[in-house]
Amino acid sequence: MDQGLFEHTLQVWNAARLRDALKNLPDDAPIHIGLTGDPGHFDGYRGFVLVDAHQVENWWPASSTAPERTDRAEALTLFSDWEPRAYGRLD
């Protein structure tokens, strides 16, 4: 393995785990998303808010190395944006 790389292993949430985390929240509670600057480092994360979600179907077609492959997976893509407030304009 390349000495400049490290294996970033984490538990990717599924729909059941997200539903469980949301079950006691009031309907009007905003959902915040913290984005790390580096993999696994939540110190100094940037806070964003959830603004949209789209159900998607990922698929991987057959290829020359796997002609029988037709994998499909349902997923949800969450979209976030900066928190609502006044920001200075970028030049």
Side-chain angles (χ1 to χ4, degrees), residues 30-33 48-53 77-81:
I31 307 234
H32 292 260
I33 299 169
F48 293 84
V49 291
L50 180 63
V51 296
D52 202 359
T77 299
L78 303 176
F79 294 92
S80 63
D81 201 346

Side-chain angles (χ1 to χ4, degrees), residues 59-88:
W59 63 278
W60 300 268
S63 66
S64 60
T65 56
E68 72 288 349
R69 183 179 186 177
T70 56
D71 298 329
R72 294 184 179 278
E74 296 291 321
L76 181 69
T77 299
L78 303 176
F79 294 92
S80 63
D81 201 346
W82 292 71
E83 294 187 58
R85 66 175 185 231
Y87 292 97

